[in-house]
Amino acid sequence: MAVKIKTRFGTVDIDNNVIANVVGGAATDNYGVVGMASRNQLRDNVNTILNRENYFKGVVVKQHDNEIEVNVYIIVAYGNKISEVSKNVQAKVKYNLQSMLGVSANSVNVIIQGVQIMND
């Protein structure tokens, strides 16, 4: 499924995998985020951190008119304030979607799938 954005010049179709890569890159770029997690951990293996090729497993995109709703599943590093990490992820995801794709995110929901101790 693709997100359809209507402009005055026509319609732009953006594939969900493209949005998932932008969202996953923005989410993992934040301090305190260990990595992306699968939205269905029982099916995809409970303790797996997703790599770049599998970001689509940790991102759910829903379209409402010209805006989208994004659910991001992440793993947070132990010892960080989860609310601050979530706010930072939300802000970065919204900014990257707007600046890279021209898509405004109506809401960005951050779902914490786990807490993990970071290896030095």
Side-chain angles (χ1 to χ4, degrees):
M1 185 177 126
V3 172
K4 296 181 186 293
I5 305 298
K6 294 177 184 167
T7 66
R8 61 187 176 123
F9 301 113
T11 304
V12 178
D13 294 339
I14 302 172
D15 191 56
N16 280 352
N17 288 338
V18 174
I19 294 173
N21 282 332
V22 170
V23 170
T28 56
D29 197 29
N30 286 289
Y31 178 80
V33 176
V34 175
M36 297 285 296
S38 174
R39 65 183 172 263
N40 190 352
Q41 288 188 336
L42 293 177
R43 184 187 62 188
D44 294 333
N45 193 354
V46 175
N47 294 323
T48 302
I49 295 176
L50 301 176
N51 55 11
R52 275 199 177 321
E53 293 81 32
N54 295 325
Y55 280 165
F56 67 92
K57 290 182 180 179
V59 176
V60 177
V61 180
K62 298 175 187 171
Q63 183 175 7
H64 305 287
D65 297 324
N66 256 5
E67 294 182 337
I68 61 172
E69 176 184 331
V70 179
N71 295 339
V72 184
Y73 295 81
I74 63 171
I75 298 172
V76 176
Y78 178 80
N80 290 293
K81 192 171 182 180
I82 292 175
S83 62
E84 287 300 315
V85 172
S86 298
K87 284 184 207 175
N88 292 339
V89 168
Q90 287 174 327
K92 184 102 179 204
V93 166
K94 279 187 174 186
Y95 175 78
N96 280 7
L97 284 173
Q98 184 63 44
S99 65
M100 291 182 185
L101 302 177
V103 176
S104 61
N106 187 27
S107 66
V108 176
N109 303 315
V110 179
I111 297 97
I112 310 299
Q113 290 285 64
V115 176
Q116 189 173 21
I117 297 173
M118 299 260 312
N119 296 331
D120 291 332

